Amino acid sequence: MILGIGLSKTGTKSLKEALQILGYKSLHLPSKQQLFSGNYEAFTDIPAYVYLTQLLTFYSKTRLICTTRNVDTWIESCREHFKPTNNAYFIELRNSVYGQSVFDEIVWRSAYKSHSLRLKVIAHYCNILFLPLESPNKWDLLCDFLNKSKPNVDYPKL
């Protein structure tokens, strides 16, 4: 199992596409039911992070990939992306990760720092690839981590 545990707007959709190119049955922004269905080989976006502890118990030999992004450009992207919603699942996810469901720069910056700190602790116990959105070598980093050959296509940018 591969879990893309980066925050939303850090390239998680592009990671899902990259994993599919490498042959993994992948899903971006899965439901809780999909996470534990056993029907996929990889998940990306905040559901994988929210349920990380349970997923590490449920799936053996899990690999973790944390997509990252410059916090200032991430904030600007979040400002545009996170609009109020009535979707109960999205509200639950946002509350779990960001502390509230409606964008607030101070709260989101704090959540970004908390996420980073938690993953630094987890990295002492699990092998995590930190995959920066800004890196020109994303294929090299990802393929080395997964022991896969680098494909002859550009890394996805979605």
Side-chain angles (χ1 to χ4, degrees):
M1 175 58 61
I2 299 169
L3 300 177
I5 54 175
L7 296 176
S8 300
K9 310 310 296 172
T10 61
T12 58
K13 203 179 290 184
S14 297
L15 174 60
K16 176 255 182 197
E17 186 66 23
L19 292 169
Q20 285 189 309
I21 291 168
L22 293 174
Y24 295 98
K25 186 175 179 185
S26 307
L27 189 60
H28 177 260
L29 202 62
S31 70
K32 186 175 181 181
Q33 180 181 359
Q34 290 168 322
L35 285 169
F36 296 96
S37 69
N39 294 329
Y40 296 90
E41 298 169 295
F43 299 109
T44 64
D45 214 309
I46 61 174
Y49 178 70
V50 169
Y51 297 103
L52 180 59
T53 303
Q54 297 95 317
L55 290 166
L56 288 171
T57 301
F58 191 77
Y59 293 107
S60 62
K61 300 180 184 175
T62 302
R63 292 183 173 199
L64 304 177
I65 301 169
C66 180
T67 50
T68 63
R69 184 175 186 180
N70 171 281
V71 68
D72 294 322
T73 60
W74 177 76
I75 284 291
E76 290 311 310
S77 184
C78 289
R79 185 184 316 282
E80 297 298 318
H81 177 76
F82 286 103
K83 304 298 181 197
T85 182
N86 292 324
N87 182 309
Y89 185 55
F90 289 169
I91 291 170
E92 174 190 348
L93 291 172
R94 289 178 186 181
N95 284 335
S96 294
V97 175
Y98 304 111
Q100 62 187 48
S101 64
V102 178
F103 176 79
D104 176 278
E105 182 174 341
I106 293 170
V107 173
W108 254 243
R109 281 184 185 274
S110 176
Y112 188 96
K113 289 178 185 174
S114 295
H115 177 261
S116 297
L117 290 172
R118 181 179 183 212
L119 293 182
K120 285 179 183 176
V121 171
I122 291 171
H124 289 288
Y125 306 98
C126 299
N127 191 12
I128 298 178
L129 169 65
F130 290 93
L131 188 63
L133 182 66
E134 298 86 1
S135 173
N137 303 317
K138 288 185 282 296
W139 270 135
D140 294 325
L141 295 168
L142 183 61
C143 292
D144 286 349
F145 183 72
L146 298 174
N147 299 315
K148 293 279 191 173
S149 297
K150 182 179 171 182
N152 288 327
V153 297
D154 289 339
Y155 188 89
K157 184 178 180 184
L158 304 176

